[in-house]
C-alpha cells in the first residue's frame, strides 16, 4: 500500500495486493488476491473492481453527497 492511499472502513485487503499512490478503496470492499490498483484509481465492491469517475459521481448523487469540484 503506497503513500496517500485510502483504505475504507472495514475493507478487506487479501494477500499479494498492490495499491498505488492516491488510490481509494471504498468501505466494505474486498480486494481479492493479486489485485493491482493503479495510481489515483477508486475501487469498490465485493469483489472490488475499478469504479469510473462517472460511476462514482452517480453513486454520490444517489446517496446525497454533493461534489466539491
Amino acid at each position: 500500500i503506497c503513500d496517500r492511499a485510502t483504505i475504507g472502513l472495514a475493507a478487506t485487503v487479501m494477500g499479494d495486493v498492490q495499491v498505488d499512490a492516491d488510490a481509494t478503496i471504498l468501505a466494505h470492499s474486498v480486494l481479492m488476491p493479486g489485485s493491482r490498483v493503479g495510481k489515483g484509481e477508486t475501487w469498490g465492491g465485493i469483489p472490488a473492481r475499478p469504479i469510473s469517475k462517472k460511476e462514482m459521481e452517480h453513486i454520490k448523487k444517489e446517496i446525497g453527497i454533493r461534489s466539491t469540484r
Side-chain angles (χ1 to χ4, degrees):
I1 299 175
C2 293
D3 292 341
R4 299 177 314 278
T6 301
I7 308 297
L9 181 70
T12 301
V13 179
M14 296 190 179
D16 190 33
V17 168
Q18 180 166 336
V19 181
D20 286 342
D22 302 310
T24 300
I25 309 304
L26 299 177
H28 303 284
S29 297
V30 177
L31 275 176
M32 300 302 290
S35 297
R36 301 290 182 258
V37 181
K39 182 177 180 179
E41 291 182 343
T42 298
W43 282 41
I46 303 171
R49 62 175 178 77
I51 306 292
S52 69
K53 289 182 183 190
K54 182 178 180 181
E55 186 176 2
M56 194 66 213
E57 287 301 315
H58 177 74
I59 292 167
K60 288 178 181 179
K61 182 179 178 185
E62 287 293 313
I63 62 174
I65 298 175
R66 291 188 212 165
S67 178
T68 57
R69 296 180 186 199

